[in-house]
Amino acid sequence: MSTPVPKERGIPQLSDVYVHDVQAVGAKTAFEISAYPEKPLKNFRFERLHLGGWAAGRSANAEDFSFKDVTILSLDGKWVDLKQSRNVRGL
């Protein structure tokens, strides 16, 4: 969104998302996803992702995420940082 909306008008929540067949090479950050703590991202399914970048990335405020056939390679040697995320499977 180009214009910020005050929290009083509502915080959007994204759920039931399927992401598949993605390939990325040479990214600054391979994987990064986050939401508001009071409205976490829910029910995301990732399949056949092959991502490579300088940093692996992070996930914040996520619930019920599943990963199948996912490869994340980072040049800094670190793994995806999970913060305030629950029931993340296959990562």
Side-chain angles (χ1 to χ4, degrees):
M1 293 172 53
S2 60
T3 305
V5 176
K7 285 186 178 182
E8 305 83 54
R9 292 194 55 204
I11 298 173
Q13 183 169 38
L14 191 59
S15 64
D16 302 313
V17 175
Y18 176 51
V19 179
H20 61 93
D21 299 311
V22 176
Q23 200 169 60
V25 178
K28 182 177 177 181
T29 304
F31 183 86
E32 187 158 1
I33 192 164
S34 65
Y36 291 101
E38 57 271 30
K39 294 284 188 171
L41 301 168
K42 292 184 176 182
N43 301 320
F44 277 54
R45 189 175 70 173
F46 300 95
E47 291 184 3
R48 298 180 302 279
L49 305 184
H50 302 286
L51 312 173
W54 172 253
R58 70 183 188 103
S59 169
N61 304 307
E63 292 181 12
D64 301 318
F65 275 35
S66 69
F67 294 83
K68 182 179 179 185
D69 188 23
V70 172
T71 303
I72 299 175
L73 302 173
S74 67
L75 293 175
D76 68 1
K78 297 181 182 175
W79 190 237
V80 176
D81 184 23
L82 300 175
K83 294 195 182 285
Q84 299 169 328
S85 297
R86 299 182 324 176
N87 198 22
V88 176
R89 301 173 310 279
L91 186 61

